[in-house]
């Protein structure tokens, strides 16, 4: 599977978490439950950003250069990390709520740029073979079972 498809699948799971935070998380009656939710979200976002950076961005860099879209994406990863850290430092519920709204908005905007601009660009410049190779590495690092191999074994061409 191409890495861009795997990363898109991860975005889809984040959207469910963003909806939950907006609909229910913000109704928390103290800062601690919101801190716990943000800690979970932060650890998942950080792992997602690290895989994108190490696998996809690093491979795109010789084609696109370090500036331009890659610089924007990396800056936004850092902004998300900083916002999550600031939210954890806040002790007032209203302040943690404001950080939560900001984090969800920033992450949605960042994902939209990846989905509309960066991933299609990656599919154009890297080609299917490289994307499949990166996808296999992504699946290995995520600890996924090698489904494609099982399917080929079950349904030989
Ligand atoms: Fe990203
Ligand atoms: Fe992403």
């Amino acid at each position: 599977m191409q890495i861009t498809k795997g990363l898109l699948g991860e975005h889809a799971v984040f959207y469910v978490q963003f909806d939950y935070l907006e609909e229910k998380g913000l109704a928390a009656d103290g800062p601690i439950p919101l801190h716990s939710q943000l800690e979970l979200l932060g650890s998942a976002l950080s792992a997602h950003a690290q895989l994108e950076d190490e696998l996809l961005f690093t491979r795109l860099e010789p084609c696109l250069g370090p500036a331009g879209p890659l610089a924007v994406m990396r800056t936004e990863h850092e902004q998300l990390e900083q916002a999550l850290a600031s939210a954890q430092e806040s002790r007032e519920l209203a302040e943690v709520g404001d950080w939560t709204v900001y984090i969800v908005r920033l992450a949605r905007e960042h994902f939209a740029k990846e989905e509309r601009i960066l991933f299609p660009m990656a599919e154009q410049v890297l080609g299917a073979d490289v994307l499949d190779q990166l996808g296999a590495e992504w699946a290995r690092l995520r600890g996924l079972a090698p489904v494609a191999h099982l399917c080929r074994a079950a349904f030989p061409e």
Side-chain angles (χ1 to χ4, degrees):
M1 185 177 70
Q2 299 190 347
I3 189 172
T4 42
K5 304 296 184 267
L7 294 171
L8 274 176
E10 293 192 3
H11 284 191
V13 177
F14 279 114
Y15 289 138
V16 178
Q17 294 183 54
F18 297 158
D19 290 345
Y20 181 91
L21 270 169
E22 287 171 332
E23 288 164 20
K24 297 186 181 154
L26 289 170
D29 59 0
I32 301 302
L34 206 41
H35 275 167
S36 305
Q37 292 176 55
L38 288 174
E39 195 171 343
L40 271 176
L41 180 72
S43 86
L45 276 174
S46 167
H48 174 76
Q50 197 179 339
L51 281 176
E52 276 179 346
D53 201 351
E54 284 176 11
L55 296 176
L56 188 63
F57 297 179
T58 301
R59 197 62 171 258
L60 276 170
E61 206 165 316
C63 311
L64 303 180
L70 290 181
V72 174
M73 295 300 106
R74 283 173 168 147
T75 300
E76 289 176 357
H77 284 177
E78 283 168 20
Q79 286 171 341
L80 279 166
E81 290 271 349
Q82 284 162 8
L84 282 154
S86 298
Q88 291 298 350
E89 284 164 18
S90 302
R91 287 288 163 263
E92 294 297 322
L93 177 59
E95 207 175 298
V96 186
D98 288 346
W99 278 115
T100 304
V101 170
Y102 172 74
I103 289 161
V104 168
R105 183 171 54 81
L106 188 62
R108 282 191 195 278
E109 288 171 2
H110 173 75
F111 284 8
K113 284 179 209 161
E114 289 180 337
E115 290 165 23
R116 290 179 198 153
I117 300 165
L118 195 79
F119 293 173
M121 202 181 264
E123 287 173 1
Q124 224 169 18
V125 301
L126 294 179
D129 286 350
V130 172
L131 292 170
D132 279 340
Q133 189 184 59
L134 292 171
E137 183 62 6
W138 166 82
R140 191 186 68 76
L141 291 169
R142 280 298 194 201
L144 301 177
V147 176
H149 295 189
L150 291 174
C151 288
R152 279 197 207 106
F155 306 101
E157 289 166 14

